[in-house]
Amino acid sequence: MSKPRLANYLAKKRKITWTPKELIEFEDKVKEKWETGTVRGPVHLSKGNEEPLIHIFQYIHQEDWVFSTWRNHYHALLHGIPEDWLMEEILRGRSMKIMNRDYRFATSAIVGGIIPHALGVAMALKRNDYVPSYRGIQNNSGPGSDRKVWCFVGDMTFETGVFHECYKYAKNFDLPIQFIVEDNNLSTNTPTDETWGVKQEIPNDYSESGKLIYYQYERGFPHHGSGSWVLF
Amino acid sequence: MVGDLTTQKEEMQKFQEAEMLKTLDLNYKNELIRSMEWLGEKDDTLFIGQAVKYSGNAMYNTTKTISDDKKIEVPVLEDVQMGMSMGMALEGFVPITCYPRFDFLILATNQLVNHLDKINIISEGQFQPRVIIRTSIGSRIPLDAGEQHTQDHTQAYRSLLKRVDVVTLEESDDIFPAFKHAYERQPLSKYDSLVTLIIEWGDHYNAK
């Protein structure tokens, strides 16, 4: 497992209360519920990337936006979403579509779907002198705001055209967004390197822009579920 | 003989074009301009697309009086454009996102169908972005832009979109009320979409 690369300017840190062990225990609870058949929707469990995520989330603040995917439990917990609320959503079969406006947390179950949304939010934050409030919802924007957008994607998504369009746009316009590539070399169970022939290396352009964080890990659970019960 | 037939064919074509021109709505473009100017006065609106700031297609003629500060000219990235419009709406903007031909909107269908149309349901009403999407059925007169620039996919999109309000602007009188409603309408429930797809007729853009 490689250590995530972080830009030097990300100096503002906060304390993360979750430990790797506690994160694993949360997913194990979900696994137990899942295996009873009471969860009426797919679950995509995380395991193996606790330490890099805890490290990254030190730099993600409550007022920042986090965009995630179908595998979002760790991201949600580390962004401060209450454990009980998240578990309730999972039990309702909503694991693939965890959304929380209060915590500025959004996901999509479509590959690459969230990247343009994250880009648009970053564009809005950069122009935030325009908007006094979100139609009654306080957004704490305003000139001088240092809010950021954090967009988590897998390594197969990293190879897609939509990622490259959005990354290029964000870099060229210096938008307040960080992309995090979580590389387990798998898209569902399809190996990224085999299907593309070779995986792209992280070009200097990425690390120098300060907008890309990259880490590798080995996935501790199957793509979805726990390896038993049903496929969907 | 062949020359006579060619002349007759050309005359018939001119006659048909003249008849079509009579049916054009002469006030259509002016009403679009009025609607865009009205939207352009709002603090939270932005105009996004290709040729919103620089000339390049007929739709530009309806946004050229808007201040450049309100326009974001984007590269060719139709699906990203739709998604970024949704993202901006999540932070409170009301994007008027422009696709000058229906044929090009097809390239943004992933974001439109899989995300904008479903975000209210997926988020159980926590996110209700307001986005106004403009597109146009490409004009056939005086120039016929051909099969890839003139299609009308209205029925297909009415079938694909379960919650987005799909509005066609048949007459000039339809135009201002449609845009005003798209900007102002309030949701009846948290599951109501505030996204409107407005379909225009390119043939009318060229009418004076």
Side-chain angles (χ1 to χ4, degrees):
Chain A
M1 185 167 61
S2 65
K3 190 175 178 183
R5 302 176 195 171
L6 288 170
N8 292 332
Y9 68 84
L10 294 172
K12 202 171 90 174
K13 291 169 78 170
R14 70 183 171 95
K15 184 171 171 52
I16 300 295
T17 55
W18 284 91
T19 65
K21 182 170 176 286
E22 288 168 337
L23 289 170
I24 291 168
E25 285 171 354
F26 180 88
E27 290 292 63
D28 283 343
K29 280 187 215 164
V30 177
K31 175 178 178 283
E32 285 173 22
K33 300 280 187 187
W34 163 261
E35 290 180 344
T36 67
T38 55
V39 180
R40 304 305 295 174
V43 296
H44 298 75
L45 300 169
S46 296
K47 192 170 188 179
N49 57 342
E50 297 80 16
E51 288 185 11
L53 282 180
I54 287 171
H55 187 66
I56 290 165
F57 268 88
Q58 293 176 99
Y59 303 94
I60 302 178
H61 296 271
Q62 193 175 355
E63 293 182 350
D64 291 349
W65 278 86
V66 171
F67 286 87
S68 180
T69 65
W70 45 93
R71 193 180 314 284
N72 54 53
H73 301 171
Y74 279 0
H75 302 146
L77 292 170
L78 290 167
H79 195 40
I81 290 178
E83 178 180 354
D84 292 346
W85 183 89
L86 178 62
M87 184 62 83
E88 183 63 29
E89 290 288 285
I90 294 167
L91 295 179
R92 291 173 60 214
R94 292 178 46 76
S95 170
M96 282 179 83
K97 45 193 173 186
I98 299 298
M99 298 265 190
N100 194 308
R101 169 77 215 177
D102 292 340
Y103 286 84
R104 297 175 181 81
F105 188 86
T107 64
S108 171
I110 301 290
V111 170
I114 39 127
I115 310 175
H117 310 159
L119 186 74
V121 169
M123 292 166 71
L125 294 181
K126 190 159 185 181
R127 299 177 69 111
N128 59 17
D129 52 329
Y130 252 101
V131 180
S133 68
Y134 177 66
R135 295 181 176 259
I137 298 173
Q138 187 181 1
N139 65 10
N140 296 317
S141 289
S145 166
D146 60 356
R147 294 170 60 206
K148 280 191 175 61
V149 179
W150 301 74
C151 182
F152 289 82
V153 300
D155 53 284
M156 185 68 95
T157 305
F158 178 48
E159 303 278 352
T160 62
V162 66
F163 178 88
H164 288 280
E165 288 178 356
C166 292
Y167 174 81
K168 184 163 57 176
Y169 195 93
K171 178 175 69 91
N172 292 350
F173 288 95
D174 193 23
L175 299 179
I177 185 169
Q178 295 284 145
F179 298 98
I180 303 96
V181 179
E182 303 178 303
D183 182 356
N184 57 24
N185 194 37
L186 290 170
S187 171
T188 62
N189 296 315
T190 301
T192 307
D193 53 2
E194 182 182 321
T195 50
W196 273 105
V198 64
K199 280 164 74 167
Q200 63 174 326
E201 293 181 6
I202 307 297
N204 286 336
D205 174 50
Y206 284 132
S207 49
E208 285 170 5
S209 77
K211 296 200 181 302
L212 189 95
I213 298 166
Y214 171 88
Y215 73 89
Q216 290 177 308
Y217 76 107
E218 190 170 336
R219 197 172 74 191
F221 277 112
H223 168 61
H224 90 92
S226 63
S228 60
W229 204 44
V230 294
L231 291 170
F232 76 101
Chain B
M1 184 68 176
V2 174
D4 288 347
L5 283 174
T6 305
T7 305
Q8 280 180 18
K9 192 177 173 185
E10 286 172 355
E11 285 177 355
M12 180 60 75
Q13 194 169 346
K14 282 179 186 170
F15 173 77
Q16 285 173 339
E17 284 182 7
E19 289 300 302
M20 284 181 76
L21 282 167
K22 287 179 190 171
T23 67
L24 291 181
D25 191 336
L26 301 182
N27 205 28
Y28 201 90
K29 187 173 77 178
N30 289 340
E31 283 299 285
L32 285 171
I33 293 169
R34 180 165 81 100
S35 302
M36 294 307 105
E37 288 178 346
W38 183 80
L39 288 168
E41 290 170 1
K42 311 297 179 191
D43 286 340
D44 53 4
T45 54
L46 284 171
F47 297 80
I48 302 174
Q50 264 205 305
V52 294
K53 195 169 173 181
Y54 301 98
S55 65
N57 58 61
M59 197 176 274
Y60 165 77
N61 290 328
T62 68
T63 58
K64 65 183 178 184
T65 58
I66 307 297
S67 163
D68 279 355
D69 293 343
K70 301 282 281 181
K71 299 177 191 172
I72 302 175
E73 184 85 4
V74 293
V76 181
L77 34 52
E78 290 89 350
D79 203 45
V80 169
Q81 179 189 326
M82 188 67 77
M84 72 165 57
S85 299
M86 175 172 143
M88 296 196 85
L90 293 180
E91 268 289 316
F93 284 97
V94 179
I96 296 102
T97 192
C98 301
Y99 293 85
R101 296 182 191 276
F102 224 144
D103 318 82
F104 306 164
L105 183 68
I106 285 178
L107 294 160
T109 306
N110 163 49
Q111 282 293 336
L112 178 55
V113 174
N114 283 329
H115 295 93
L116 263 180
D117 191 49
K118 296 179 173 55
I119 184 68
N120 299 44
I121 300 298
I122 295 169
S123 71
E124 297 193 319
Q126 294 180 82
F127 296 108
Q128 267 184 313
R130 187 186 296 274
V131 178
I132 301 172
I133 305 157
R134 290 182 65 190
T135 195
S136 170
I137 300 159
S139 61
R140 286 188 178 272
I141 53 172
L143 300 175
D144 186 339
E147 292 304 306
Q148 293 175 320
H149 279 52
T150 57
Q151 297 304 310
D152 177 2
H153 297 300
T154 305
Q155 291 309 315
Y157 276 74
R158 282 194 201 281
S159 297
L160 282 169
L161 299 167
K162 308 301 181 197
R163 295 166 196 92
V164 169
D165 193 14
V166 180
V167 178
T168 53
L169 301 181
E170 300 291 347
E171 309 290 341
S172 58
D173 289 346
D174 300 336
I175 294 172
F176 188 77
F179 281 104
K180 190 167 186 290
H181 183 66
Y183 180 79
E184 291 183 340
R185 81 167 185 273
Q186 293 302 311
L188 298 175
S189 83
K190 64 182 183 179
Y191 296 111
D192 275 356
S193 172
L194 296 179
V195 180
T196 310
L197 169 59
I198 296 183
I199 300 160
E200 304 162 16
W201 283 95
D203 277 328
H204 294 310
Y205 289 170
N206 296 312
K208 292 182 180 176

